[in-house]
Amino acid sequence: MKAQRAVAHRPPRVRARTTSIAAFVVLAALIPTTASSAPGTRETDIELPYVCTLPSGPLAATVRITAEFPERAGAGEAFAPSGVTTSVRLPEEAVADLTARGADEVRAATRLEVGVAQGTATAKATWRGGAEPAALPESGPLTLVSKGEVPSVAGRGDGDLTFTAGGLSIDLALDAAGPTATDPAATDPAATGSAAATGAAGPDPGSLTVDCTLAEDAPGQGLLATVPVGEGSSPGPGGSPSPSEGTGESGQSGSPDPEARGGGGDGRADGSPEVLETAPGAAPDRDDVPPCRYDEQTPPTDVSLNAYVTGYANVNKMDGAAYLPPSCLLIEQGLPVDGPPDPEHIIFDTVSWANFHYQGRKQTPPFPSTFLSFDFAPVRTTMVLEQTGPIRIDSRIKLRLSDFTTVTDTYVRAPLVAHVTELEVNGTPLDVGPDCRTETSLTSVDPDPANHPGDHLVLYGRGEQLIGQEATGYLLLSGGTLSGETAIPAFTGCGTADGEDLDRLLTASVSGPGNHIKQVQGQTCAIAAPVFPTPETPGQCTPDLQPYEIPVAER
């Protein structure tokens, strides 16, 4: 890429909220966690009776739920239970149902509906988890231990916040045979929807979703925990869960009557607990991400930036999402020029250019994705996104004259084809050949097609900064969340001359419109003026001029 001329004056670098705490995910990645006893927390460990519907009929099951909750939270303070484990013990009759389908091993993903209440106001959260492969026992019950991160919750006012277990769905992928060691696909963040990944060898007896309801005689009607919120409530005796009326010292309910507040049909009032849309995640270790640095083949200029990007891309036909691992992006920052006249704003436009950088190529690292094609056939692919041209980044900065608030709208236009390098269906590898890819770039509806013709993906982000405060949202320098929607084109070149033509299989399984993409860019490192971490200052660059921040994907 041809370098642009130097910028005489660089706008102040503003560090946005770090992406690991910027928001909270409802559909959190299925990453196993282990419980720990942290100060200011208390553990819930409760067994509840359930009735699960299997092919042979309703059967009694036992569900053990363990988690750690904070001793107390402030009003409006978001927190997520930690160390969440859902252990399901299915009776011997259920095992007989599974073996009758030809299964020797099972992989499970669980979805537990949890009611969250504060006074009379309610909300719902879904706790998702993934289990390691489990061999079916020759006799006796089957226990599935599912672990995962869960959504964060915030109480809107003072009053106890209660968590109550509700319906449970268990998505089972059944394997006829396979290794007992853990397959990475079993906890692949991309494994969402109806079942975790399979990937075992041998014929596949299919998949099964088991729906379970809380038994009528469940202790405490499924109450898991009570967390006091604000100043007006206290934990139950001994810190154990206790029913709550949601009333503070003033004698007034911590949350108003939902009818008085205009609650919606989902049972959530304006003053109800809030289940936040994304949950804090853990950034990958630096050893697990590709290097992101300039080199002799791609030397930096005085306007060069680098950053990691990561995210998820939905595949509508698969009812799931592909996890895009942290990828290196090399950016040449553009010069601001005067925008259109506006009596209420000062406007500047900038055009920057970027390229993915992986082992000297303009592409992402290879990433695996696992889905259930047509709701029953397990499909595992390995793909890369390859550029067919430079990535263009258009930013419009609007400074409002009345209060000097700055709003920045950014459009990222990326011509990217999806290249499939490996394909496995029902545990059987299929040779896709070296040139299996989408016919054209992933395509979005461009808001300015006259000036930006051609096939490309469009992602959008908005950032805002008030005087004296940190920026929020997306800014090129400090990163943030970008999102968009894309159509996946038909596939071509899939298969070999002496093998099966796989174009139609992939096109029927994957291609189509309306696929949502959510990408998170981390804080950039300015190569010409690096900012290294100090006890008082967050770092932007490592000593070898790589991005200091590795962002966390959000669903």
Side-chain angles (χ1 to χ4, degrees), residues 259-282:
E259 293 185 2
R261 298 279 290 181
D266 60 356
R268 186 177 183 279
D270 288 344
S272 65
E274 184 177 11
V275 179
L276 300 171
E277 291 188 354
T278 54

Side-chain angles (χ1 to χ4, degrees), residues 9-332:
H9 174 70
R10 182 183 300 275
R13 295 177 59 85
V14 180
R15 182 175 178 84
R17 299 172 300 175
T18 59
T19 54
S20 62
I21 60 173
F24 306 88
V25 169
V26 170
L27 301 178
L30 304 182
I31 303 173
T33 58
T34 55
S36 60
S37 299
T41 64
R42 65 177 184 273
E43 185 177 9
T44 287
D45 187 343
I46 186 170
E47 282 195 353
L48 296 172
Y50 273 78
V51 177
C52 297
T53 302
L54 283 105
S56 61
L59 297 172
T62 301
V63 177
R64 179 183 178 186
I65 301 167
T66 60
E68 288 189 355
F69 293 84
E71 290 281 359
R72 178 181 294 278
E77 176 188 354
F79 65 88
S82 61
V84 176
T85 300
T86 303
S87 301
V88 183
R89 188 168 69 247
L90 297 173
E92 188 171 8
E93 295 88 339
V95 178
D97 280 351
L98 302 181
T99 54
R101 299 168 67 99
D104 293 329
E105 184 180 79
V106 63
R107 304 165 191 265
T110 59
R111 291 172 282 131
L112 176 66
E113 190 175 89
V114 175
V116 186
Q118 191 176 38
T120 58
T122 62
K124 290 182 179 179
T126 300
W127 289 8
R128 296 176 180 260
E132 295 185 357
L136 296 181
E138 294 183 1
S139 62
L142 168 67
T143 299
L144 302 170
V145 181
S146 172
K147 299 179 180 180
E149 295 182 357
V150 301
S152 291
V153 174
R156 291 297 188 90
D158 292 352
D160 289 350
L161 199 63
T162 61
F163 294 77
T164 304
L168 172 68
S169 293
I170 311 167
D171 299 319
L172 300 174
L174 309 178
D175 294 342
T180 56
T182 302
D183 187 332
T187 53
D188 189 340
T192 63
S194 54
T198 56
D204 191 320
S207 61
L208 179 68
T209 296
V210 177
D211 292 320
C212 306
T213 57
L214 188 70
E216 294 181 355
D217 59 348
Q221 296 182 317
L223 180 67
L224 299 176
T226 299
V227 177
V229 174
E231 301 297 330
S233 54
S234 59
S240 60
S242 61
S244 169
E245 298 298 327
T247 303
E249 292 176 354
S250 64
Q252 296 179 344
S253 170
S255 296
D257 185 338
E259 293 185 2
R261 298 279 290 181
D266 60 356
R268 186 177 183 279
D270 288 344
S272 65
E274 184 177 11
V275 179
L276 300 171
E277 291 188 354
T278 54
D285 292 332
R286 189 164 294 276
D287 292 341
D288 296 331
V289 300
C292 188
R293 62 170 69 91
Y294 289 85
D295 51 34
E296 293 182 357
Q297 285 71 40
T298 52
T301 70
D302 55 359
V303 293
S304 291
L305 313 170
N306 53 359
Y308 282 108
V309 294
T310 185
Y312 287 96
N314 283 359
V315 180
N316 276 349
K317 285 187 175 179
M318 296 286 196
D319 192 27
Y323 170 62
L324 308 178
S327 304
C328 175
L329 199 65
L330 304 183
I331 306 167
E332 292 296 302

Side-chain angles (χ1 to χ4, degrees), residues 17 96-97 110 114 139 176 274 290 334 336 339 357 369 397 432 459 481 550:
R17 299 172 300 175
D97 280 351
T110 59
V114 175
S139 62
E274 184 177 11
H357 186 67
S369 300
I397 305 168
V432 295
L459 298 175
T481 300
I550 301 173

Side-chain angles (χ1 to χ4, degrees), residues 325 327 356 358 361-367 383-386:
S327 304
F356 283 115
Y358 177 72
R361 297 186 294 272
K362 297 176 182 179
Q363 65 174 59
T364 66
F367 55 93
M383 295 187 290
V384 296
L385 295 179
E386 299 174 342

